Short mmCIF file of all heavy atoms in Angstrom, two decimals:
data_model
loop_
_atom_site.label_atom_id
_atom_site.label_comp_id
_atom_site.label_asym_id
_atom_site.label_seq_id
_atom_site.Cartn_x
_atom_site.Cartn_y
_atom_site.Cartn_z
N GLY G 1 51.17 46.10 8.14
CA GLY G 1 50.47 45.15 7.29
C GLY G 1 51.40 44.26 6.50
O GLY G 1 52.26 43.58 7.06
N PRO G 2 51.26 44.26 5.18
CA PRO G 2 51.99 43.30 4.35
C PRO G 2 53.50 43.51 4.34
O PRO G 2 54.25 42.58 4.02
CB PRO G 2 51.39 43.51 2.95
CG PRO G 2 50.84 44.90 2.96
CD PRO G 2 50.36 45.11 4.37
N GLY G 3 53.96 44.72 4.67
CA GLY G 3 55.39 44.98 4.62
C GLY G 3 56.16 44.45 5.81
O GLY G 3 57.37 44.21 5.72
N LEU G 4 55.49 44.27 6.94
CA LEU G 4 56.22 43.88 8.15
C LEU G 4 55.35 43.11 9.15
O LEU G 4 55.66 41.97 9.52
CB LEU G 4 56.81 45.13 8.82
CG LEU G 4 57.63 44.94 10.09
CD1 LEU G 4 58.83 44.05 9.80
CD2 LEU G 4 58.10 46.29 10.63
N GLY G 5 54.27 43.74 9.62
CA GLY G 5 53.48 43.18 10.71
C GLY G 5 52.86 41.83 10.41
O GLY G 5 52.98 40.87 11.19
N ILE G 6 52.17 41.72 9.27
CA ILE G 6 51.50 40.46 8.93
C ILE G 6 52.50 39.33 8.67
O ILE G 6 52.34 38.23 9.21
CB ILE G 6 50.55 40.66 7.73
CG1 ILE G 6 49.42 41.62 8.10
CG2 ILE G 6 49.95 39.32 7.28
CD1 ILE G 6 48.50 41.98 6.95
N PRO G 7 53.55 39.55 7.85
CA PRO G 7 54.54 38.46 7.66
C PRO G 7 55.19 38.03 8.98
O PRO G 7 55.45 36.83 9.18
CB PRO G 7 55.56 39.09 6.71
CG PRO G 7 54.81 40.14 5.98
CD PRO G 7 53.83 40.69 6.98
N ARG G 8 55.48 38.99 9.87
CA ARG G 8 56.08 38.64 11.15
C ARG G 8 55.13 37.77 11.97
O ARG G 8 55.52 36.77 12.56
CB ARG G 8 56.46 39.89 11.94
CG ARG G 8 57.22 39.60 13.22
CD ARG G 8 57.54 40.85 14.01
NE ARG G 8 56.41 41.32 14.80
CZ ARG G 8 56.50 42.29 15.71
NH1 ARG G 8 57.65 42.89 15.94
NH2 ARG G 8 55.42 42.67 16.39
N ALA G 9 53.86 38.16 11.99
CA ALA G 9 52.87 37.41 12.77
C ALA G 9 52.68 36.00 12.23
O ALA G 9 52.35 35.08 12.99
CB ALA G 9 51.54 38.15 12.78
N ALA G 10 52.88 35.83 10.94
CA ALA G 10 52.70 34.50 10.35
C ALA G 10 53.94 33.63 10.50
O ALA G 10 53.84 32.40 10.62
CB ALA G 10 52.35 34.63 8.87
N SER G 11 55.12 34.24 10.50
CA SER G 11 56.36 33.45 10.55
C SER G 11 56.73 33.04 11.97
O SER G 11 57.36 32.00 12.18
CB SER G 11 57.52 34.23 9.92
OG SER G 11 57.73 35.45 10.60
N VAL G 12 56.33 33.87 12.97
CA VAL G 12 56.68 33.57 14.35
C VAL G 12 56.15 32.21 14.82
O VAL G 12 56.91 31.42 15.39
CB VAL G 12 56.22 34.70 15.29
CG1 VAL G 12 56.21 34.24 16.74
CG2 VAL G 12 57.15 35.90 15.16
N PRO G 13 54.86 31.90 14.65
CA PRO G 13 54.37 30.61 15.16
C PRO G 13 55.08 29.41 14.54
O PRO G 13 55.28 28.40 15.21
CB PRO G 13 52.87 30.62 14.82
CG PRO G 13 52.71 31.65 13.78
CD PRO G 13 53.75 32.68 14.04
N PHE G 14 55.47 29.53 13.26
CA PHE G 14 56.17 28.40 12.65
C PHE G 14 57.59 28.27 13.19
O PHE G 14 58.00 27.20 13.65
CB PHE G 14 56.24 28.57 11.12
CG PHE G 14 57.04 27.48 10.45
CD1 PHE G 14 56.47 26.25 10.20
CD2 PHE G 14 58.37 27.69 10.10
CE1 PHE G 14 57.21 25.23 9.62
CE2 PHE G 14 59.12 26.69 9.52
CZ PHE G 14 58.53 25.45 9.27
N GLU G 15 58.35 29.35 13.15
CA GLU G 15 59.76 29.27 13.52
C GLU G 15 59.97 29.06 15.01
O GLU G 15 61.00 28.54 15.43
CB GLU G 15 60.50 30.53 13.04
CG GLU G 15 60.51 30.66 11.52
CD GLU G 15 61.65 31.50 11.00
OE1 GLU G 15 62.64 31.67 11.73
OE2 GLU G 15 61.54 32.00 9.87
N MET G 16 58.99 29.48 15.83
CA MET G 16 59.17 29.37 17.27
C MET G 16 58.42 28.20 17.90
O MET G 16 58.77 27.75 18.98
CB MET G 16 58.71 30.67 17.94
CG MET G 16 59.53 31.88 17.52
SD MET G 16 61.29 31.62 17.77
CE MET G 16 61.96 33.11 17.03
N ALA G 17 57.38 27.70 17.25
CA ALA G 17 56.57 26.65 17.89
C ALA G 17 56.36 25.42 17.02
O ALA G 17 55.78 24.45 17.48
CB ALA G 17 55.21 27.23 18.28
N VAL G 18 56.84 25.45 15.77
CA VAL G 18 56.68 24.29 14.89
C VAL G 18 58.04 23.76 14.44
O VAL G 18 58.35 22.59 14.63
CB VAL G 18 55.82 24.65 13.65
CG1 VAL G 18 55.72 23.45 12.71
CG2 VAL G 18 54.43 25.10 14.07
N ALA G 19 58.87 24.65 13.88
CA ALA G 19 60.16 24.23 13.34
C ALA G 19 61.05 23.49 14.34
O ALA G 19 61.69 22.49 13.98
CB ALA G 19 60.90 25.44 12.77
N PRO G 20 61.13 23.94 15.62
CA PRO G 20 62.02 23.25 16.56
C PRO G 20 61.65 21.79 16.83
O PRO G 20 62.48 21.02 17.31
CB PRO G 20 61.88 24.08 17.85
CG PRO G 20 61.43 25.42 17.39
CD PRO G 20 60.54 25.14 16.23
N TYR G 21 60.41 21.42 16.52
CA TYR G 21 59.95 20.06 16.82
C TYR G 21 59.90 19.17 15.58
O TYR G 21 59.47 18.02 15.66
CB TYR G 21 58.58 20.12 17.48
CG TYR G 21 58.60 20.91 18.77
CD1 TYR G 21 58.16 22.23 18.80
CD2 TYR G 21 59.07 20.34 19.95
CE1 TYR G 21 58.18 22.97 19.99
CE2 TYR G 21 59.09 21.07 21.13
CZ TYR G 21 58.65 22.38 21.14
OH TYR G 21 58.68 23.11 22.30
N LEU G 22 60.33 19.70 14.43
CA LEU G 22 60.38 18.89 13.21
C LEU G 22 61.64 18.02 13.22
O LEU G 22 62.62 18.36 13.89
CB LEU G 22 60.38 19.80 11.98
CG LEU G 22 59.10 20.60 11.71
CD1 LEU G 22 59.30 21.54 10.54
CD2 LEU G 22 57.92 19.66 11.43
N PRO G 23 61.65 16.91 12.50
CA PRO G 23 62.85 16.07 12.43
C PRO G 23 64.05 16.86 11.89
O PRO G 23 63.87 17.81 11.11
CB PRO G 23 62.44 14.96 11.45
CG PRO G 23 60.95 14.95 11.47
CD PRO G 23 60.51 16.35 11.72
N GLU G 24 65.23 16.47 12.31
CA GLU G 24 66.43 17.19 11.89
C GLU G 24 66.63 17.14 10.38
O GLU G 24 67.25 18.04 9.80
CB GLU G 24 67.67 16.58 12.58
CG GLU G 24 67.70 16.82 14.09
CD GLU G 24 68.97 16.28 14.71
OE1 GLU G 24 69.85 15.80 13.96
OE2 GLU G 24 69.08 16.33 15.95
N THR G 25 66.12 16.11 9.74
CA THR G 25 66.28 15.98 8.28
C THR G 25 65.20 16.73 7.50
O THR G 25 65.21 16.73 6.27
CB THR G 25 66.23 14.50 7.89
OG1 THR G 25 64.99 13.92 8.36
CG2 THR G 25 67.40 13.73 8.50
N ALA G 26 64.27 17.38 8.22
CA ALA G 26 63.15 18.07 7.55
C ALA G 26 63.65 19.25 6.73
O ALA G 26 64.58 19.97 7.13
CB ALA G 26 62.14 18.53 8.58
N ASN G 27 63.03 19.45 5.58
CA ASN G 27 63.34 20.60 4.73
C ASN G 27 62.51 21.79 5.23
O ASN G 27 61.34 21.94 4.88
CB ASN G 27 63.00 20.27 3.28
CG ASN G 27 63.50 21.33 2.32
OD1 ASN G 27 63.52 22.52 2.63
ND2 ASN G 27 63.92 20.90 1.13
N LEU G 28 63.12 22.63 6.06
CA LEU G 28 62.37 23.71 6.72
C LEU G 28 61.71 24.68 5.74
O LEU G 28 60.56 25.07 5.95
CB LEU G 28 63.30 24.47 7.68
CG LEU G 28 63.71 23.71 8.95
CD1 LEU G 28 64.57 24.60 9.84
CD2 LEU G 28 62.48 23.24 9.72
N PRO G 29 62.40 25.12 4.67
CA PRO G 29 61.73 26.04 3.73
C PRO G 29 60.45 25.46 3.14
O PRO G 29 59.47 26.18 2.95
CB PRO G 29 62.80 26.27 2.65
CG PRO G 29 64.10 26.07 3.36
CD PRO G 29 63.83 24.95 4.32
N VAL G 30 60.46 24.15 2.86
CA VAL G 30 59.25 23.53 2.29
C VAL G 30 58.13 23.48 3.33
O VAL G 30 56.98 23.79 3.03
CB VAL G 30 59.58 22.10 1.79
CG1 VAL G 30 58.29 21.39 1.37
CG2 VAL G 30 60.55 22.16 0.62
N PHE G 31 58.48 23.09 4.55
CA PHE G 31 57.48 23.05 5.62
C PHE G 31 56.93 24.46 5.90
O PHE G 31 55.74 24.63 6.15
CB PHE G 31 58.07 22.44 6.89
CG PHE G 31 58.04 20.95 6.92
CD1 PHE G 31 59.13 20.21 6.49
CD2 PHE G 31 56.91 20.26 7.35
CE1 PHE G 31 59.10 18.82 6.51
CE2 PHE G 31 56.87 18.88 7.36
CZ PHE G 31 57.98 18.15 6.94
N MET G 32 57.82 25.44 5.87
CA MET G 32 57.39 26.83 6.08
C MET G 32 56.43 27.28 4.98
O MET G 32 55.43 27.95 5.22
CB MET G 32 58.62 27.75 6.12
CG MET G 32 58.28 29.23 6.25
SD MET G 32 57.42 29.60 7.80
CE MET G 32 57.01 31.31 7.56
N LEU G 33 56.75 26.89 3.76
CA LEU G 33 55.90 27.23 2.61
C LEU G 33 54.51 26.64 2.79
O LEU G 33 53.50 27.33 2.59
CB LEU G 33 56.54 26.72 1.32
CG LEU G 33 55.88 27.15 0.01
CD1 LEU G 33 56.15 28.63 -0.24
CD2 LEU G 33 56.40 26.33 -1.15
N LEU G 34 54.45 25.37 3.17
CA LEU G 34 53.16 24.70 3.35
C LEU G 34 52.38 25.29 4.52
O LEU G 34 51.17 25.52 4.43
CB LEU G 34 53.38 23.20 3.55
CG LEU G 34 53.96 22.43 2.37
CD1 LEU G 34 54.28 20.99 2.75
CD2 LEU G 34 53.00 22.47 1.19
N TYR G 35 53.09 25.51 5.64
CA TYR G 35 52.42 26.07 6.83
C TYR G 35 51.86 27.46 6.53
O TYR G 35 50.70 27.75 6.84
CB TYR G 35 53.43 26.16 7.99
CG TYR G 35 52.87 26.81 9.24
CD1 TYR G 35 52.23 26.05 10.21
CD2 TYR G 35 52.97 28.19 9.44
CE1 TYR G 35 51.71 26.64 11.35
CE2 TYR G 35 52.44 28.79 10.57
CZ TYR G 35 51.83 28.02 11.53
OH TYR G 35 51.31 28.61 12.64
N SER G 36 52.66 28.32 5.94
CA SER G 36 52.23 29.70 5.66
C SER G 36 51.13 29.73 4.61
O SER G 36 50.26 30.60 4.63
CB SER G 36 53.41 30.57 5.23
OG SER G 36 54.05 30.03 4.08
N LEU G 37 51.15 28.76 3.67
CA LEU G 37 50.09 28.69 2.67
C LEU G 37 48.75 28.41 3.33
O LEU G 37 47.75 29.11 3.07
CB LEU G 37 50.41 27.60 1.64
CG LEU G 37 49.35 27.38 0.55
CD1 LEU G 37 49.19 28.64 -0.30
CD2 LEU G 37 49.74 26.18 -0.33
N VAL G 38 48.70 27.41 4.21
CA VAL G 38 47.46 27.10 4.94
C VAL G 38 47.07 28.28 5.83
O VAL G 38 45.88 28.65 5.90
CB VAL G 38 47.65 25.83 5.80
CG1 VAL G 38 46.42 25.58 6.67
CG2 VAL G 38 47.91 24.62 4.91
N PHE G 39 48.06 28.88 6.49
CA PHE G 39 47.81 30.01 7.39
C PHE G 39 47.14 31.15 6.65
O PHE G 39 46.12 31.70 7.11
CB PHE G 39 49.14 30.47 8.00
CG PHE G 39 49.02 31.57 9.03
CD1 PHE G 39 48.98 31.27 10.39
CD2 PHE G 39 48.94 32.90 8.65
CE1 PHE G 39 48.87 32.28 11.34
CE2 PHE G 39 48.83 33.91 9.59
CZ PHE G 39 48.80 33.60 10.94
N PHE G 40 47.69 31.54 5.50
CA PHE G 40 47.15 32.70 4.78
C PHE G 40 45.86 32.37 4.03
O PHE G 40 45.03 33.27 3.82
CB PHE G 40 48.20 33.27 3.83
CG PHE G 40 49.20 34.15 4.53
CD1 PHE G 40 50.51 33.74 4.70
CD2 PHE G 40 48.82 35.37 5.05
CE1 PHE G 40 51.43 34.54 5.36
CE2 PHE G 40 49.73 36.18 5.71
CZ PHE G 40 51.04 35.78 5.87
N LEU G 41 45.67 31.14 3.63
CA LEU G 41 44.38 30.77 3.04
C LEU G 41 43.27 30.91 4.09
O LEU G 41 42.18 31.43 3.79
CB LEU G 41 44.43 29.33 2.52
CG LEU G 41 45.18 29.11 1.20
CD1 LEU G 41 45.28 27.62 0.89
CD2 LEU G 41 44.51 29.86 0.06
N LEU G 42 43.56 30.46 5.31
CA LEU G 42 42.58 30.58 6.40
C LEU G 42 42.36 32.04 6.77
O LEU G 42 41.21 32.48 6.97
CB LEU G 42 43.07 29.79 7.61
CG LEU G 42 42.15 29.75 8.84
CD1 LEU G 42 40.79 29.17 8.46
CD2 LEU G 42 42.77 28.92 9.96
N ALA G 43 43.45 32.82 6.84
CA ALA G 43 43.34 34.24 7.19
C ALA G 43 42.53 35.00 6.14
O ALA G 43 41.69 35.84 6.46
CB ALA G 43 44.73 34.86 7.34
#
């Protein structure tokens, strides 16, 4: 759950399917924060 499984499930889609396609100048921690915020609000 919250200690490992859920955070891993939420971080994988961003780091593997979103982050590689962002501009090189993108601030990844900020984008990750926004993506995970929407993800967990929906969840």
Side-chain angles (χ1 to χ4, degrees):
L4 181 60
I6 296 175
R8 186 182 80 170
S11 60
V12 164
F14 176 81
E15 296 204 21
M16 297 306 174
V18 177
Y21 301 99
L22 293 175
E24 292 183 5
T25 56
N27 189 325
L28 289 183
V30 172
F31 276 94
M32 176 63 186
L33 188 72
L34 294 174
Y35 176 89
S36 58
L37 178 62
V38 174
F39 184 97
F40 280 110
L41 284 174
L42 182 58

